[in-house]
Amino acid sequence: MTPPVKPELLAPCGSLEAFFAAMESGADAVYAGLKEFSARAKAKNFSLTDMERMLAYAHQRGRKVYVTLNTLVKEAELPQLVDTLAALEAMGIDAVILQDLAVWRLAKEHFPGIELHASTQMTVHNAAGVRMLEKMGFTRGVLARELSLAEIAAIRAQTTLELEHFIHGALCFCFSGQCYFSSFLGGKSGNRGRCAQPCRRRYRYRQNDGYYFSPNDLSAIDLLPQLREAGVISFKIEGRMKSAEYVANVVGAYRLALDAPATKRAEAVKEAKQLLKSSFGRPPTKGFLPGGIPTDIAVPSIKGATGQLLGEVAAVRGGDVSFKTRDRLHVGDRLRIQPKSDQAGTAFTVKSLLLGRNPVKKVNADSYVTVPSPFSGIFKVGDGVFKVSSEQAFTMSEVACRRKLEAVRREPAPVDLELSVSAERMHIVGSCGAIRVEGDYPLESYPAGDSSLTPEILRGVFAKAADEPFALRDLTTGELPAVVIPPKRLKEIRRDFYQALRREAEERRGRVRREHRQAALADLLPAAPRRAAEERRISVAIRDSRDAQLLNDSAVDRLILPLTPGNVQESGRLGKRGDDRGEQIVWDIPFIIFDHQWDGYRATVRELVNRGFLSFRLNNLAHFELFAGLEGLLLSTSYRLYALNSQALLAWKELGAGEAALYIEDDRDNLGDILQRPVGMPLGMVVYASVPLITSRIPIKGVRGDTPVVSDRGDTYRVHKSGDLTVLTSETDFSLLGRLPELQGLGCGRFTLELGHLGPFSPKGKQVMEALKKGQALPGTTLFNYESGME
């Protein structure tokens, strides 16, 4: 059996300091974001010029750079996305990590030089999802973090795509890419890189305060051989918001463990764990990797803040804080004082320490210490004290990193030369990739004595490309005359030829970039004159087939029914073959289907199709695989399949969708922009729902849906169990029922009401249906981001 390939160690970098820390600590590759389209918008991120120099620096050391374009893109941002893709292709970036299918479609159609990696934000969690990525031309998929080693191995056995998985760093409570919590609270969308992390806050359930939605940090340092055996080829460290010190410590620790021979692995892992203790993360968990439901992944009693907890403030005097420290503390360490409320903490670097009244450079654990700070009047007794970095921080300053980056020169391209030489002329044919340049140069030569012209002399001359970005790979000559050519003339010819080759390379690169960019821009759909939707078509999502009598209501055109065993068993009452109700029922595919469930769902889908049911709503990329080989169906996408722009909608259409839902987080301006684009299929919107703020595989022990979970500002939420999943919803429903005429004016006439949580015949359900018919707004609901906007 061939041993698995040694995995790539992939490091985060959100700053130049972190980039050089990753390089110096042994990362095989880094992933980094640009100023735009990055899922870590709060990181420093990089300009295109920075990225090109980082790429050259990495390539000169045999490393790789991947760019994260892993956010959702608004319609008005598509031209800028095209410009970005054109620039990345021209610089030869190693890969782009993406979430929005607009990036996939534009790259696939117009920028073939870009390798595509599917972000974990795409919620790929089974073999069918990976097979879809293969069909779509991706070369790598970043798997969901909710998978066990056995589940990863099962995916590997059924697919050939490169698999990447996180091995260290912060975890999301929600399946990545499916969290609406931050956006719901204030329009700061996690899918746009602006997550405000409400999951890290403290909540109250009954009389108990806790951090119910704040996971501990992943640490798979003990499981690297098992991950490798499962088929993971890239080990990814989370942390683009983290410091260079964090990157250096964590990369160094994993490098140590990965490089250790099997006989010394236990010793190396022990040493690596000591390094990881200096990374100032949350308590470690192996997450879902070992299998089963982890009990240590989310512990409500553990604060959601990062850093090493040193203690609680015991006394405050001006800007001085006093506390008993649980660990050593040095001048130069960085502290964060974290209030008990949900407010952000305040960080500062320790400039001096006092033991009693005596200034010291360091104190040991269990010391009662006073730390002067530059702040006054903001700290309180009981606030938490966290150490977030040590005095041994990565030493390169941002200025030094910038100087080092600016000194980087473009990676030399290999050149092959064919030389034909006579006593009077030299003819050169140079090949560099797809570029071919010829040059003809007059010579002044004289008959050779003992030092006649040789191939070795010519190779020695042309191997020195001076400041030009080339490296001689191969040089061939015909028969050489017995002459001597003055060295000065040979150097002039070399200079002129390499300059001509550079100009041709730059011209070609610029020409290809312009052509690809112009073709992509031409492919963007122009805005058509706005046309109001002529009529409404109403779909209502229910939970139970017993509510199917709602189809007797003249206001309802279709029902959306969850694909559950009970509903399938009762499907006979919904209509027989040939009955139009076979089209009026839309079966809603469960958002998460793990591999052990897949065959059962595939068989059920075919059974329903055989009974004459034609319509299905898809909630994950993998769902397209359920319908492989079936024809004549109407597949519609839900808002979980992101559609924030017309290019994404065209992508869903190309994959097989005949109808699509616009994105539930979206705002009026962007919705209006999209609805002006002729995407060639019907578009709909959810206009009433209980928004699933979090959908998770993590159970919350002791929390049930009978009592709300309350934030410290009084917002109330419910935790529900749905099969093996935990779902958090707000007690405030989302409603655009009072805006239907406006939405029709924008061009949307297909509306969906999600009433599964209410029941259409409950008092509240009847109230919603009445508001629909009368076109009235419902009190006590929220417009989500519709008016206030989504960042």
Side-chain angles (χ1 to χ4, degrees), residues 691-714:
V691 180
L693 304 180
I694 288 177
T695 304
S696 179
R697 203 180 187 183
I698 304 172
I700 308 176
K701 187 176 180 180
V703 176
R704 296 189 293 273
D706 57 349
T707 304
V709 176
V710 186
S711 73
D712 69 346
R713 59 186 198 182

Side-chain angles (χ1 to χ4, degrees), residues 206-366:
R206 294 182 176 172
Q207 300 304 312
N208 299 313
D209 287 347
Y211 298 86
Y212 294 104
F213 316 113
S214 179
N216 289 325
D217 283 359
L218 177 65
S219 180
I221 192 76
D222 293 308
L223 300 175
L224 302 185
Q226 294 92 324
L227 279 162
R228 187 176 176 182
E229 289 294 331
V232 177
I233 63 95
S234 181
F235 290 173
K236 188 171 193 173
I237 297 166
E238 183 276 338
R240 281 191 288 142
M241 293 291 293
K242 299 294 181 63
S243 67
E245 178 192 15
Y246 171 91
V247 172
N249 280 336
V250 176
V251 172
Y254 279 90
R255 185 79 275 159
L256 184 66
L258 282 170
D259 290 348
T263 55
K264 296 187 177 181
R265 174 171 162 71
E267 181 182 337
V269 168
K270 183 177 180 181
E271 185 179 346
K273 286 182 176 180
Q274 289 299 314
L275 279 174
L276 292 177
K277 285 183 179 180
S278 302
S279 66
F280 304 104
R282 302 175 183 90
T285 173
K286 295 182 178 70
F288 289 93
L289 289 171
I293 302 300
T295 58
D296 63 346
I297 194 168
V299 181
S301 61
I302 297 177
K303 291 185 177 182
T306 56
Q308 180 182 4
L309 179 63
L310 296 182
E312 293 185 350
V313 174
V316 179
R317 184 174 181 179
D320 296 356
V321 293
S322 301
F323 59 95
K324 186 177 181 180
T325 180
R326 300 179 184 179
D327 198 5
R328 289 180 302 172
L329 190 58
H330 297 249
V331 171
D333 287 352
R334 191 161 178 83
L335 302 183
R336 186 182 66 249
I337 311 297
Q338 187 71 40
K340 287 185 175 181
S341 70
D342 282 347
Q343 300 301 311
T346 302
F348 59 92
T349 299
V350 176
K351 301 293 187 183
S352 60
L353 293 169
L354 297 174
L355 269 179
R357 296 182 179 180
N358 300 319
V360 293
K361 293 292 184 182
K362 64 180 181 178
V363 297
N364 293 321
D366 298 322

Side-chain angles (χ1 to χ4, degrees), residues 47-326:
S47 68
L48 286 166
T49 300
D50 288 340
M51 196 66 72
E52 187 165 18
R53 287 175 173 160
M54 289 161 60
L55 185 67
Y57 185 90
H59 282 185
Q60 288 162 15
R61 289 154 181 81
R63 322 287 181 84
K64 292 184 177 181
V65 177
Y66 307 136
V67 168
T68 53
L69 298 184
N70 57 340
T71 61
L72 300 185
V73 181
K74 289 189 174 185
E75 185 68 29
E77 296 167 343
L78 288 175
Q80 184 181 14
L81 174 62
V82 167
D83 288 344
T84 300
L85 290 171
L88 292 174
E89 183 187 44
M91 74 173 66
I93 201 72
D94 290 302
V96 162
I97 306 171
L98 66 96
Q99 173 185 14
D100 195 318
L101 286 199
V103 183
W104 167 74
R105 185 177 188 275
L106 288 167
K108 174 179 68 78
E109 295 291 336
H110 304 291
F111 303 102
I114 295 180
E115 188 171 308
L116 301 178
H117 294 180
S119 170
T120 192
Q121 296 286 111
M122 292 181 71
T123 328
V124 174
H125 61 281
N126 54 30
V130 176
R131 285 195 297 269
M132 281 298 299
L133 296 177
E134 287 176 326
K135 292 178 181 179
M136 295 165 69
F138 286 86
T139 58
R140 182 182 295 185
V142 188
L143 295 174
R145 283 172 273 198
E146 286 76 11
L147 298 175
S148 68
L149 286 163
E151 288 168 328
I152 295 169
I155 291 172
R156 172 74 296 146
Q158 301 176 64
T159 60
T160 60
L161 196 76
E162 291 183 357
L163 300 180
E164 180 174 304
H165 199 278
F166 282 93
I167 57 168
H168 196 90
L171 291 169
C172 290
F173 193 87
C174 182
F175 281 91
S176 293
Q178 301 297 332
C179 183
Y180 310 109
F181 203 174
S182 174
S183 183
F184 194 80
L185 290 180
K188 296 183 181 299
S189 172
N191 283 323
R192 296 267 294 162
R194 292 164 174 82
C195 180
Q197 295 194 315
C199 54
R200 298 296 183 189
R201 299 175 184 171
R202 190 180 72 248
Y203 295 86
R204 170 160 292 195
Y205 174 71
R206 294 182 176 172
Q207 300 304 312
N208 299 313
D209 287 347
Y211 298 86
Y212 294 104
F213 316 113
S214 179
N216 289 325
D217 283 359
L218 177 65
S219 180
I221 192 76
D222 293 308
L223 300 175
L224 302 185
Q226 294 92 324
L227 279 162
R228 187 176 176 182
E229 289 294 331
V232 177
I233 63 95
S234 181
F235 290 173
K236 188 171 193 173
I237 297 166
E238 183 276 338
R240 281 191 288 142
M241 293 291 293
K242 299 294 181 63
S243 67
E245 178 192 15
Y246 171 91
V247 172
N249 280 336
V250 176
V251 172
Y254 279 90
R255 185 79 275 159
L256 184 66
L258 282 170
D259 290 348
T263 55
K264 296 187 177 181
R265 174 171 162 71
E267 181 182 337
V269 168
K270 183 177 180 181
E271 185 179 346
K273 286 182 176 180
Q274 289 299 314
L275 279 174
L276 292 177
K277 285 183 179 180
S278 302
S279 66
F280 304 104
R282 302 175 183 90
T285 173
K286 295 182 178 70
F288 289 93
L289 289 171
I293 302 300
T295 58
D296 63 346
I297 194 168
V299 181
S301 61
I302 297 177
K303 291 185 177 182
T306 56
Q308 180 182 4
L309 179 63
L310 296 182
E312 293 185 350
V313 174
V316 179
R317 184 174 181 179
D320 296 356
V321 293
S322 301
F323 59 95
K324 186 177 181 180
T325 180
R326 300 179 184 179

